[in-house]
Amino acid sequence: MGIALTRAAQWTAAGIGVGKLEFTPLNVSLLNSIIKFVEYVNSKQPQEAALMFREPLEWKSDLDISAFGVDYQTSKNTVVSKENIDGNPLMTFDASTRVIKVFTFNQLAKLLEVAQKDKLKETQACLEANRDPIAKILGPSFATVEGEDKSMLRLLEKVKKSDEEPEAEVQMKLFLLLQQLDMQLLNASLQKISQEVRLTPQAIKNDVQLLQSFSGEGEMTVLKSINYTSEYEFSNGCRAPPWRQVYGDICYLIINTHDTDTLYVTCNTAGVYLNGGPIKDSEDIIYDRNGDIYKDLITFLKEKSPTFAENLTQVQQNFVIQKKPAATRKTQKTEVPVNEEFDQSEKFNEYQEKNKFERKKQPPKTKARDTKKEETPHVHKNLESSNQLSSKEEKAQMKEQDTKKTKKDKENVENVKTKKYKCKAAQEKKNILQGIVSDGSEELSESSTESEEEPQDMSRQQEPNTDLPSEYWQIQKVVKYLKGGNQTATVIALCSMRDFNLTTETSQLAIRDVGGLEVLINLLDTEDTKCKVGSLKILKEISKNSQIRRCLAELGGLQTMVKILDSSNKDLKCLAAETIANIAKFRRARQTVRLHGGIQRLVGLLDCVPMLSANLSAEQEKDIEVARCGALALWSCSKSKKNKDAIRKAGGIPLLACLLKSPHENMLIPVVGTLQECASEPSYRLAIRTENMVKDLVRNLSSESEELQMHCARAIFKCAEDEETRNLVRTHFGLGPLVKLVDKSDNKELLAAATGAVWKCAISMENVERFKHLKVVETLINLLVGQPEEVLINVVGALGQLARDEFIRGAIRRSGGIDPLVNLLTGTNNALLVNVTKAVGECAVDAENMSIIESLDGVRLLWSLLKKQNPDIQASAAWALCPCIENAKEAGEMVRSFVGGLELIVNLLKSDDIEVLASVCAALAKIAMDEENLAVMTDHGVVPMLSSLTYTKDDMLREHLADAIACCCKWGNNRVAFGSTGAVAPLVHYLKSKNPFVHRATAQALYQLSFDPKNCITMHENGVVKLLLNLMESTDELLQEAAAGCISNIRRLALANEKDRYK
């Protein structure tokens, strides 16, 4: 534990006793491992747990005296443990100084129980105060030292003299346990650190040069400017002072974006982050980190500047357009084939990586050039240079540059090039075949419920100049034996290859670069089962690499694996299905599986003995394993819409329903994963309901596996679109487990799924009542701050549905939820804005809530959202404004205070979206209650715009349109204007609708219009009297009154005409 804390843990400052443990993923992992170790020693090693420390572990604790239970004696300012040795308590806590002292592992474990949720915090404080805990536990002779450690030898001597040292054997065991923990912590941290990508000065320099070439004052530039704070560059490429380079600092940047304040940025080997900016009246800066660390400069800027992200996307699109013609030329440089399915960001990343490699490869230029032009990698310059150089010139340049390389390096370069050409040729061949076999329109229509393409990390491609480990060359030798040996040699070579760690990227790419993928695929066509099994085991491991799986698909490996699914050998079936599951991560692979009959075969694998059968034979257990592998492959394939249909037509739904009853988590995860992917289709939601799968999904919400819980919650999230499913979730007591999952805020994926399920279930008012008793509102409000957008969308959506209940609206106010909701109105995510506006609108129904919203300027923010181009946001904002205007104290004055607001909302009547039109009409009806606002709207042409919408056949729009017309009739000559613009006759036909709300609104509009004689004549001519007479039988008093008033006005006009005639 001492070595791990010294070498592996991440401290905030150098030196002994002054540093603090940073709150990083690595440190959290170390702390959790130490907590588990303490609990293990207490439960499994009672003698070691009771061993008294040579010196107590002491630190300052934030625990409260009231937290200690019956195992402790408490007084006003002190707490001591009842357990003691020779009258000395084994744990003491002084509340006045906050210092706690612990003498045994037993007491440490009890203290962790007392701390509960603060376990991590207390462990961190203990380790910060005791940098070498082993020295205090076993004595100074066991202190952590660099170099040779003889503490074990001294302990062995004590064990030999066991009569003199009775505790020596227990100490020996405890020391061995602590050493074992040290090794585990070091290995775990080494594994984590090895996965981290460290930034280099050259990488930062390339990024800065690239961004500078796209910076300026223009609208489509990504930045205004990006500059170093220091122009001096050290020999190692860094620009940071030497004393800061010790901490990993590379350089410091001043970045001016189009939409944020000036950013002062530190580029460190660990990542990119904001610093404290310049010190006033000094050339120095505040080096302390201010915020999160990002993996590179581009990611950092995307997070900080939405405008940068938008303009970068545009630059990527322009680059793709410029690059396409050049891709067909023969002079194009050799590179790993890029599938046409790559999205634009991948191509831009490829450009960035290519620029890095190109600058390394280029020999010295004979012609003098401007230095700035040489260093700045412009897109058009890169394209020109690649077009001007012929393939012969490129080879000459490469030859000249590589003269100093070793023979082994040259062979590696040639192998990489050969493989790249082979992959490219295979791709072209496959494209030609697909053009013959499949219809182009089918390929275009292939869709996915998620991102259609997985991101391909171009930085993973092997650089010819990179020093490669010995395993790379050893694997290539084995592949050569694989190519040329007989059957026995082939099997031995496959076994030898499996002895390597095939999970590392070096091993995977070594197989690819020497042509091993073609050999492994060819082995699948042999008759020898051992060769097939060995080949598939290797392919299953290496196909986890995105580059490898693309090459496998291009080389026709999927077709062969699909055929193997018909094999009688169950091991082959399992391996083939698992490999297909790895490869089918991108659209083209999923399409290939379907077109070659893979879906039907995979569904066939699901048919096995009932999961709950007792005394299964070995053969039946193998059938179950085959079914699990088939479910894994279907999970990957189910991301495409056409594959979902194929699974359903092949009879996969009842088989999945049967497997869903399995008690085994490793079976349930792929089955539920497949179901939640397919649940986006209405046919699957119906099947999940009718096959009684909702009960099993609810049951598995209480599983110990968080991954299984997440997939079950996602499936409920998608299925709960249907009312019947929402009722079934409640009937099977699923709402309680969902609320418990919402408390797990550390797992963001699970949290997003759980909150999404709560949101959809809350659409039913019966479920809202249940959620009210479960007190979910307080939990949801706590999640409104500091969560990713995926979680926020669902949390706010759930609050919007729950806020329809009067008690919950009050609970949101009492829990302080109005403020964070209003703050979210300033966001940029469209889905989040739609849900936030709905939630704010529901809260505004309550007068007290409305006063808070108004004080936070929430109505102005809602009104500003009407400027958005997204019709969903416009509609949601307009609906939310209705209760705000209705419940505001000075609504008319408030609306008039928004400069240009009335013109903005009136102009939305030109929209083509029915929902927008209906919501705007509803808002106009509320606004028109104030005469001054109505007069302004009339000047903006609201009457002819409303009249132009009267020919609609949509009942929702009819209802609110009629309501708006009724309210707008109360100003000036608007009644006459509605008649002259042809609004009256269509309104009469609204009375034939079957919607009672349309009847009421229309009757009120006709009543207002009937005060104009010409309108009465038009109504009478269109048969309004008979329709109104029928409506007078309604139980709706407002409808009765409006209908009677309209008939009365028509009758008065008729009587006046008769009197005129007989005079």
Side-chain angles (χ1 to χ4, degrees):
M1 188 155 59
I3 297 174
L5 287 175
T6 305
R7 296 182 181 175
Q10 296 170 335
W11 299 85
T12 57
I16 297 174
V18 297
K20 297 288 184 182
L21 282 168
E22 288 191 78
F23 198 75
T24 62
L26 175 60
N27 283 350
V28 170
S29 176
L30 291 175
L31 292 173
N32 282 324
S33 298
I34 292 169
I35 290 170
K36 288 179 182 177
F37 173 77
V38 172
E39 292 170 346
Y40 164 77
V41 171
N42 181 51
S43 60
K44 302 294 184 182
Q45 306 290 339
Q47 284 185 308
E48 288 73 17
L51 180 68
M52 191 169 179
F53 300 160
R54 291 300 176 93
E55 292 182 42
L57 296 177
E58 57 181 279
W59 68 94
K60 286 194 174 183
S61 172
D62 291 330
L63 292 176
D64 192 76
I65 289 182
S66 60
F68 293 89
V70 294
D71 293 334
Y72 302 91
Q73 294 177 350
T74 59
S75 62
K76 186 177 181 181
N77 287 321
T78 58
V79 178
V80 296
S81 63
K82 291 181 179 179
E83 191 177 346
N84 62 79
I85 295 178
D86 299 332
N88 297 317
L90 297 180
M91 194 285 298
T92 63
F93 175 51
D94 188 342
S96 59
T97 60
R98 313 302 303 172
V99 173
I100 195 166
K101 295 182 181 180
V102 180
F103 287 85
T104 65
F105 273 105
N106 189 358
Q107 288 300 320
L108 274 177
K110 288 182 178 180
L111 192 64
L112 289 175
E113 288 181 15
V114 171
Q116 295 181 349
K117 292 182 180 179
D118 293 329
K119 281 183 183 180
L120 220 58
K121 188 177 177 182
E122 289 298 315
T123 308
Q124 180 179 350
C126 174
L127 295 175
E128 286 173 352
N130 304 276
R131 292 289 284 268
D132 193 0
I134 295 178
K136 290 195 172 184
I137 293 171
L138 297 175
S141 59
F142 293 90
T144 303
V145 294
E146 294 293 335
E148 188 177 4
D149 186 1
K150 295 185 178 180
S151 54
M152 178 65 78
L153 297 175
R154 289 194 294 272
L155 194 56
L156 281 171
E157 291 296 326
K158 287 185 179 182
V159 172
K160 288 179 182 178
K161 303 174 183 178
S162 56
D163 296 335
E164 300 175 15
E165 296 281 348
E167 293 181 344
E169 188 175 348
V170 178
Q171 282 184 332
M172 178 77 159
K173 288 182 181 178
L174 184 57
F175 183 67
L176 290 173
L177 288 170
L178 289 168
Q179 274 203 326
Q180 185 180 0
L181 171 66
D182 239 348
M183 291 306 297
Q184 288 175 354
L185 295 179
L186 284 172
N187 288 334
S189 58
L190 182 63
Q191 188 175 358
K192 279 185 175 291
I193 292 169
S194 65
Q195 293 172 354
E196 293 180 0
V197 179
R198 310 294 286 182
L199 290 179
T200 63
Q202 186 60 39
I204 292 295
K205 184 176 181 181
N206 292 338
D207 282 347
V208 171
Q209 288 177 340
L210 180 66
L211 291 171
Q212 283 176 338
S213 66
F214 293 108
S215 297
E217 293 296 332
E219 289 185 3
M220 291 313 298
T221 55
V222 294
L223 297 170
K224 287 183 180 178
S225 65
I226 175 169
N227 297 297
Y228 296 106
T229 57
S230 171
E231 293 302 322
Y232 182 76
E233 183 176 330
F234 291 90
S235 58
N236 60 0
C238 294
R239 295 172 188 261
W243 65 275
R244 287 301 305 176
Q245 291 182 31
V246 175
Y247 296 96
D249 287 2
I250 297 171
C251 64
Y252 310 104
L253 301 172
I254 301 173
I255 302 174
N256 291 305
T257 66
H258 291 289
D259 55 349
T260 66
D261 295 332
T262 301
L263 303 176
Y264 298 95
V265 179
T266 296
C267 297
N268 190 285
T269 54
V272 178
Y273 56 85
L274 282 174
N275 57 47
I279 299 173
K280 191 174 181 181
D281 301 327
S282 171
E283 294 182 359
D284 213 345
I285 66 171
I286 301 170
Y287 297 102
D288 295 340
R289 175 161 62 87
N290 183 15
D292 296 331
I293 300 179
Y294 298 87
K295 64 178 183 178
D296 55 40
L297 192 55
I298 303 295
T299 306
F300 168 83
L301 288 169
K302 281 183 178 178
E303 185 68 25
K304 297 296 180 185
S305 170
T307 302
F308 173 85
E310 290 178 16
N311 292 356
L312 181 63
T313 303
Q314 187 63 42
V315 170
Q316 292 168 353
Q317 291 171 348
N318 294 340
F319 172 70
V320 172
I321 292 168
Q322 291 177 10
K323 187 174 178 180
K324 281 183 179 176
T328 60
R329 299 179 186 175
K330 294 181 180 179
T331 60
Q332 183 183 7
K333 295 191 178 181
T334 304
E335 57 188 65
V336 173
V338 182
N339 203 323
E340 67 269 24
E341 298 166 0
F342 281 12
D343 61 16
Q344 294 157 347
S345 61
E346 288 173 327
K347 296 200 175 187
F348 189 73
N349 289 337
E350 175 197 353
Y351 159 68
Q352 289 177 294
E353 294 298 326
K354 184 175 179 182
N355 262 348
K356 294 177 189 176
F357 301 155
E358 291 293 329
R359 284 193 290 278
K360 291 179 182 178
K361 293 178 186 176
Q362 285 180 347
K365 303 290 183 180
T366 56
K367 295 181 181 181
R369 286 188 177 184
D370 184 9
T371 307
K372 185 176 180 180
K373 288 184 178 178
E374 281 189 351
E375 292 179 354
T376 305
H378 289 289
V379 173
H380 66 270
K381 176 192 164 188
N382 188 41
L383 291 172
E384 285 175 9
S385 62
S386 64
N387 290 336
Q388 289 171 358
L389 292 174
S390 65
S391 58
K392 290 182 180 179
E393 289 172 338
E394 287 177 348
K395 290 177 182 177
Q397 289 177 4
M398 291 299 294
K399 186 176 181 181
E400 182 182 351
Q401 186 186 17
D402 293 342
T403 52
K404 295 181 181 179
K405 292 182 183 177
T406 63
K407 184 178 179 181
K408 193 175 288 185
D409 285 339
K410 287 182 179 179
E411 288 176 359
N412 176 47
V413 175
E414 290 301 315
N415 285 335
V416 174
K417 286 184 177 181
T418 304
K419 180 58 196 162
K420 288 173 181 177
Y421 278 124
K422 284 182 180 179
C423 285
K424 187 169 183 179
Q427 178 191 350
E428 291 174 355
K429 179 180 176 183
K430 186 168 183 285
N431 289 341
I432 294 169
L433 289 173
Q434 281 193 336
I436 298 170
V437 175
S438 65
D439 185 14
S441 62
E442 182 181 13
E443 182 180 337
L444 289 172
S445 64
E446 185 80 10
S447 63
S448 168
T449 56
E450 296 182 0
S451 174
E452 297 227 338
E453 295 308 321
E454 59 182 356
Q456 182 176 8
D457 188 358
M458 300 302 292
S459 63
R460 289 185 173 186
Q461 298 180 12
Q462 289 285 342
E463 294 183 47
N465 297 336
T466 306
D467 292 331
L468 296 167
S470 59
E471 287 85 356
Y472 183 88
W473 309 110
Q474 292 170 6
I475 287 175
Q476 292 203 341
K477 287 180 182 177
V478 173
V479 173
K480 289 176 183 176
Y481 286 116
L482 198 62
K483 287 180 177 179
N486 57 22
Q487 183 176 334
T488 305
T490 300
V491 173
I492 293 171
L494 288 170
C495 294
S496 300
M497 195 180 294
R498 289 204 64 219
D499 289 338
F500 292 97
N501 184 3
L502 297 177
T503 59
T504 64
E505 190 176 43
T506 301
S507 302
Q508 295 163 352
L509 298 185
I511 296 171
R512 182 200 69 178
D513 294 344
V514 79
L517 297 181
E518 293 94 329
V519 179
L520 291 170
I521 290 172
N522 288 339
L523 288 175
L524 298 181
D525 287 323
T526 62
E527 297 300 324
D528 189 273
T529 303
K530 290 181 180 177
C531 288
K532 285 184 177 180
V533 170
S535 177
L536 281 171
K537 283 183 177 180
I538 294 169
L539 289 172
K540 184 187 83 171
E541 292 298 325
I542 66 177
S543 60
K544 294 172 184 176
N545 182 298
S546 61
Q547 297 179 52
I548 298 294
R549 54 175 163 253
R550 286 182 180 277
C551 280
L552 288 173
E554 290 159 4
L555 293 168
L558 274 172
Q559 293 89 319
T560 308
M561 292 175 202
V562 167
K563 291 177 184 176
I564 291 175
L565 295 175
D566 290 329
S567 170
S568 57
N569 188 304
K570 292 175 182 176
D571 288 328
L572 284 176
K573 285 182 178 180
C574 284
L575 291 168
E578 284 187 283
T579 311
I580 290 171
N582 289 340
I583 299 174
K585 301 289 186 185
F586 61 99
R587 185 185 66 184
R588 184 64 62 88
R590 293 193 290 268
Q591 185 186 43
T592 302
V593 173
R594 186 184 73 252
L595 294 177
H596 289 83
I599 299 297
Q600 292 88 335
R601 291 178 172 91
L602 289 170
V603 168
L605 299 183
L606 302 180
D607 194 4
C608 62
V609 295
M611 295 288 100
L612 301 175
S613 301
N615 302 322
L616 295 174
S617 65
E619 195 68 20
Q620 289 173 329
E621 288 181 355
K622 198 66 184 176
D623 287 337
I624 292 173
E625 179 61 16
V626 170
R628 186 191 71 81
C629 296
L632 269 175
L634 286 174
W635 186 9
S636 294
C637 293
S638 64
K639 290 180 172 61
S640 297
K641 186 178 185 303
K642 289 196 173 184
N643 285 358
K644 294 173 187 175
D645 293 336
I647 294 170
R648 179 176 53 79
K649 290 174 182 176
I653 294 176
L655 293 173
L656 288 169
C658 181
L659 295 177
L660 191 57
K661 300 185 184 300
S662 168
H664 307 294
E665 285 178 1
N666 63 343
M667 172 67 83
L668 287 169
I669 288 173
V671 169
V672 179
T674 306
L675 287 172
Q676 67 93 4
E677 284 288 350
C678 296
S680 56
E681 299 297 313
S683 57
Y684 273 90
R685 294 202 293 270
L686 176 63
I688 288 171
R689 193 166 64 244
T690 54
E691 292 283 347
N692 200 24
M693 286 190 255
V694 176
K695 182 179 180 180
D696 296 315
L697 291 173
V698 168
R699 172 174 54 83
N700 288 316
L701 286 174
S702 304
S703 165
E704 294 181 0
S705 168
E706 289 193 350
E707 186 180 1
L708 178 56
Q709 289 175 328
M710 176 191 69
H711 291 307
C712 289
R714 278 185 180 171
I716 292 172
F717 170 44
K718 293 179 180 179
C719 293
E721 294 282 353
D722 306 322
E723 185 178 0
E724 267 188 77
T725 304
R726 295 196 293 269
N727 294 336
L728 285 172
V729 173
R730 184 181 69 256
T731 304
H732 294 303
F733 307 102
L735 301 182
L738 283 175
V739 172
K740 288 181 181 178
L741 294 182
V742 173
D743 285 328
K744 296 186 177 181
S745 58
D746 52 334
N747 186 333
K748 301 304 179 187
E749 288 188 342
L750 175 58
L751 184 61
T755 51
V758 170
W759 170 20
K760 295 301 180 182
C761 288
I763 295 173
S764 297
M765 287 305 296
E766 294 87 351
N767 290 346
V768 172
E769 285 295 320
R770 179 61 182 148
F771 281 131
K772 185 164 60 174
H773 294 300
L774 293 170
K775 298 181 179 178
V776 72
V777 175
E778 291 79 2
T779 307
L780 292 173
I781 287 171
N782 291 333
L783 296 174
L784 287 174
V785 179
Q787 297 297 333
E789 286 184 341
E790 185 183 5
V791 174
L792 285 174
I793 290 168
N794 296 339
V795 169
V796 175
L799 287 172
Q801 295 295 340
L802 293 168
R804 293 175 296 164
D805 181 87
E806 184 180 356
F807 177 81
I808 291 178
R809 286 197 294 271
I812 292 173
R813 182 183 66 253
R814 290 188 292 272
S815 302
I818 304 293
D819 197 346
L821 279 174
V822 172
N823 289 338
L824 289 174
L825 290 171
T826 59
T828 56
N829 184 290
N830 289 346
L832 178 58
L833 286 174
V834 170
N835 285 355
V836 171
T837 48
K838 179 175 175 57
V840 172
E842 291 293 346
C843 290
V845 173
D846 185 281
E848 290 184 55
N849 289 352
M850 181 56 217
S851 62
I852 299 173
I853 293 169
E854 193 173 354
S855 66
L856 295 170
D857 213 15
V859 183
R860 185 183 298 276
L861 292 173
L862 283 172
W863 211 289
S864 66
L865 292 177
L866 297 176
K867 298 177 185 177
K868 294 278 187 181
Q869 297 302 310
N870 188 304
D872 293 332
I873 297 176
Q874 291 174 340
S876 187
W879 286 124
L881 284 171
C882 294
C884 291
I885 296 168
E886 187 175 358
N887 294 308
K889 292 180 180 177
E890 297 290 338
E893 188 61 37
M894 177 187 71
V895 171
R896 283 192 295 279
S897 68
F898 304 143
V899 179
L902 290 174
E903 183 180 5
L904 171 64
I905 197 166
V906 169
N907 284 334
L908 285 178
L909 291 174
K910 299 174 184 176
S911 172
D912 295 325
D913 188 275
I914 294 293
E915 183 81 16
V916 173
L917 293 172
S919 59
V920 169
C921 287
L924 290 175
K926 303 297 182 185
I927 296 169
M929 296 295 182
D930 183 89
E931 283 193 358
E932 289 186 42
N933 290 337
L934 177 55
V936 175
M937 290 195 299
T938 303
D939 292 339
H940 287 305
V942 71
V943 172
M945 288 186 186
L946 290 173
S947 297
S948 66
L949 300 175
T950 52
Y951 290 94
T952 180
K953 294 183 179 179
D954 185 90
D955 274 352
M956 179 179 65
L957 177 54
R958 283 178 167 184
E959 176 192 347
H960 297 290
L961 175 60
D963 198 13
I965 290 173
C967 294
C968 288
C969 282
K970 300 172 184 177
W971 173 257
N973 293 322
N974 283 359
R975 293 186 181 91
V976 177
F978 278 121
S980 61
T981 51
V984 178
L987 278 174
V988 173
H989 297 291
Y990 288 9
L991 297 176
K992 296 178 182 179
S993 169
K994 295 181 180 179
N995 189 324
F997 297 107
V998 175
H999 294 164
R1000 181 202 291 175
T1002 305
Q1004 290 174 331
L1006 291 173
Y1007 170 64
Q1008 292 295 333
L1009 291 168
S1010 66
F1011 285 99
D1012 178 64
K1014 289 184 180 179
N1015 291 343
C1016 288
I1017 295 169
T1018 305
M1019 292 178 203
H1020 192 274
E1021 288 173 351
N1022 285 276
V1024 75
V1025 175
K1026 185 177 180 181
L1027 294 170
L1028 288 173
L1029 285 171
N1030 293 332
L1031 293 177
M1032 287 176 66
E1033 299 175 0
S1034 169
T1035 56
D1036 186 336
E1037 292 183 3
L1038 290 174
L1039 174 57
Q1040 285 180 333
E1041 186 178 346
C1046 184
I1047 292 175
S1048 173
N1049 287 340
I1050 294 171
R1051 182 59 185 156
R1052 283 197 191 96
L1053 179 62
L1055 288 173
N1057 284 337
E1058 283 184 23
K1059 287 181 181 178
D1060 243 8
R1061 190 183 303 169
Y1062 290 109
K1063 277 183 181 179

